[in-house]
Amino acid sequence: DWSSDVCSSDLFSALSESDRSAALDSWLSGVKSGAISNESGAPIRFSLAILEAERSILLIRASSLIADGRSLKNLVVEIGRFYADPVAVLDSPIQQSEYAEAQHRLREADDELARTGKRYWHQQELASATIPKLPFEQSAPDGAGPAEGFRLALDGNTTEAVNAAAQRNDASPQAVLLACWFGLLWRLTGKDDLLLYQVTSGRDGKELDGAIGLFATPIPIRMQFDPDPSFGELVRRLQERVTEGTRFRTYVPWRDLPAGGSSAPIGFEYELKESAQECAGIVFSPFQRQVRILPFKLNLQVIWGDSGAALEFQYGPQLLRTEVERIAGYYERLLRALVTDSRARLRSVDILDEPERRRLLVEWNQTQASYPSDRCIHQLFEAQVERTPDKPAVIFRDRKSGV
């Protein structure tokens, strides 16, 4: 049986709306900073914040060893059903151990599906792939804390444009967003061969829909870029990779994948926005969501809805928040530009905002310096020789010459 710690706080009810928002952010940061451990006897922790008489926030935290993002959704559904009928017999879907055993049998099988899946991953040549290193990445300190996140919202106009781009390229919105993510990483790293992991739900069939456990599966996606690719071409290639990778995810040769060394992997997640549910007069609606299956140094998590989407750029200690905010801005500008023209070349899109463009082209280009205007160049040269007579005057490769 899973044990849990329950704590509640009604300190917010007496605060004004503005003070309550700041206090709530502080409370969430404090609660989320605590470690979740199977060894401590509390792999799941519930924390309750009472904002006012009829509005509360229930924070559910679980170890990634026993639950994934879909599990938290299912747990909220079960809590709502229990509110409606405390004596109801809850569903008993397939257990994670049964699922793991079934997956093992599939991997060891010698049927056509297994042979095709193993051949597909062999053709990807994952053993020769490398994990991209970002230009501003730093080494992670020992004992680093949990991942942080920077959130960005896409309005309905942008999601409508993404849907239109997906239809033009016979692809899904997921493939469009992933193509933009790959395109940005290509621009940032300058590497023509990139590997990242897309996290899928890992749930096939209705027997897994309501299950609670770690079923989410990361799929390695390797992309080799042409010198100047078009966005539409990248979308179509990624749609094929996502479809095939999801189909054959059971047969991923994990031993062949690069360990990463000092460079942690980069990820991508895509889920549909969950709707609110009402049980016994109580409405449950999502407030915030953060799931970390692998120790990504950078992970783009998308919660997709046709009227708007929530993007969270989750990052590890290898990156500074200011850099992640800049990446989020690059992604938004690149996405808005590319979804309007699938023929656009990834290299041609300007991803800088006006302040950064001015800083690079104007402020950092202020190279003028004051110098004595009453003397000629040869006189200044002679004066420098007198000040440093033993210094070389000319350096060419490994040769030096004095005056």
Side-chain angles (χ1 to χ4, degrees), residues 44 47 51 60 126 136 194 249 321 352 354 358 364:
I44 295 184
S47 300
L51 304 184
I60 305 175
L126 297 176
F136 33 77
L194 296 176
R249 67 175 181 271
R321 185 176 181 86
L352 301 179
E354 188 57 37
R358 177 175 178 80
W364 289 357

Side-chain angles (χ1 to χ4, degrees), residues 264-340:
I266 297 176
F268 177 83
E269 296 181 57
Y270 176 91
E271 288 193 30
L272 297 178
K273 184 179 181 180
E274 55 187 302
S275 58
Q277 62 169 336
E278 182 175 353
C279 299
I282 298 177
V283 178
F284 292 85
S285 59
F287 177 68
Q288 288 183 8
R289 181 177 179 274
Q290 187 180 74
V291 178
R292 193 184 189 199
I293 301 300
L294 287 179
F296 294 119
K297 63 185 172 190
L298 183 61
N299 180 48
L300 173 55
Q301 184 182 88
V302 180
I303 306 298
W304 181 259
D306 290 336
S307 60
L311 277 57
E312 183 170 43
F313 295 80
Q314 301 170 350
Y315 60 98
Q318 300 90 341
L319 302 175
L320 299 175
R321 185 176 181 86
T322 53
E323 299 292 353
V324 176
E325 291 178 4
R326 192 148 57 97
I327 291 174
Y330 291 160
Y331 182 82
E332 182 179 19
R333 286 186 287 276
L334 185 63
L335 180 65
R336 292 182 187 277
L338 292 176
V339 294
T340 59

